[in-house]
Amino acid sequence: MSEDAVRTEFELIQWIRARASAQGRTVVGIGDDCAVLDTGPDRKLLVTTDMLMDGRHFHLDRDGAEAVGYKALAVNLSDIAAMAGNPTAAVVSVALPRARAVEVAQGLHEGIRPLANRFNVALVGGDTNAWDGPLVISVTVLGETMSARPPVLRSGARLGDVIFVTGPLGGSLLGRHLHPVPRIAEAIAMHSEVEIHALIDISDGIASDLGHILEESGRIGAVLDADALPIHPDARTMSAYDGRPALEHALNDGEDFELCAVIDPTDADRVSRLFPFCHRIGTITDAPGLWSRASDGALSPIRAEGFDHLCSGER
Ligand code: ADP
Ligand code: MG
């Protein structure tokens, strides 16, 4: 890809990915929910980082620092969940608005601490800066894989696999995006019970994020049963505001932070039975692309409209 062909966030990451060099301990580098490093025979180290900016991912004046701190850690924990990993430690770096730096920093910590405690994550470091710009917070989380199972990548989906989602989707912008509960326990429980083939957390909308699984798994597509997709009440509320169908909100709104799991068809009934929060929503097929199947069986293409930092304006 030449430099001037880079237009989207995805293309930029692919551009960097093609040039970044993996080192000896790199099991998975750029391109999944976490990097995976080899630290020993039976466990792997997971690393993930996400940066949140005032005016883009939150509005400090409206949401308050505590909610921002919570969200900044939660989105990282969600990426650990997306590997079926267990989080262990976090570092937090902030660029604070100078006029009320201490108050904001303490507020952030009030949001971070209870969530870290809840998931037994140690806050082990960070970096503090103040400037005349808006609040920026970057959190990095380390985690580990379960000893008996490898981390679940985006790349393991196979033809005939069944697609699940861990909860209802859409309309998170009405407020849910600020306090997602990372699906750590759910992912570990599922992955202990069955071998999950592919996993991703839904940060950009399931149409985009399932698209990443298809892209990484290669030469496959997915059919979603339009009637089976769990639609969050918030998606219906937003639909009433803006006239867009609730299903479109469920497919394309970001920041649900549910997990999309791809599982062997022979395990699908067991997953449904053991994990009532798991909704069976579709199948991996050999026709490339993402398709929606209506109740009469008719297929129509789903266009992924998920958020792209390099193409989209203010939301
Ligand atoms: P997620 O939505 O799960 O947080 P992203 O879309 O942010 O994932 O990132 C996709 C992949 O690209 C991840 O492996 C991430 O670490 C990597 N990545 C993103 N930005 C950069 C960058 N500037 N340099 C190197 N790797 C990056
Ligand atoms: Mg992710």
Side-chain angles (χ1 to χ4, degrees), residues 7 25 56 59 79 91 117 120-121 159 177 190 209 211 214 222 234 240 250 260 268 293:
R7 293 210 166 72
R25 288 178 181 276
R56 170 59 76 195
H59 292 271
D79 278 321
V91 291
N117 290 342
N120 299 315
V121 171
L159 192 61
H177 75 105
M190 284 166 70
D209 290 319
L214 301 180
D234 289 344
C260 175
R293 179 163 49 209

Side-chain angles (χ1 to χ4, degrees), residues 9 13 16 29-33 49-50 79 154 201 203-204:
E9 188 183 336
I13 291 173
I16 297 170
I30 295 172
D32 217 301
D33 296 292
T49 190
D50 262 308
D79 278 321
R154 297 175 177 183
D201 65 321
S203 51
D204 298 330

Side-chain angles (χ1 to χ4, degrees), residues 273-309:
R273 195 172 64 247
L274 291 175
F275 305 111
F277 57 82
C278 271
H279 303 256
R280 181 176 180 153
I281 58 168
T283 317
I284 300 290
T285 61
D286 54 3
L290 187 56
W291 303 86
S292 165
R293 179 163 49 209
S295 46
D296 63 2
L299 293 182
S300 49
I302 297 172
R303 209 165 63 87
E305 295 167 1
F307 191 74
D308 185 302
H309 279 280

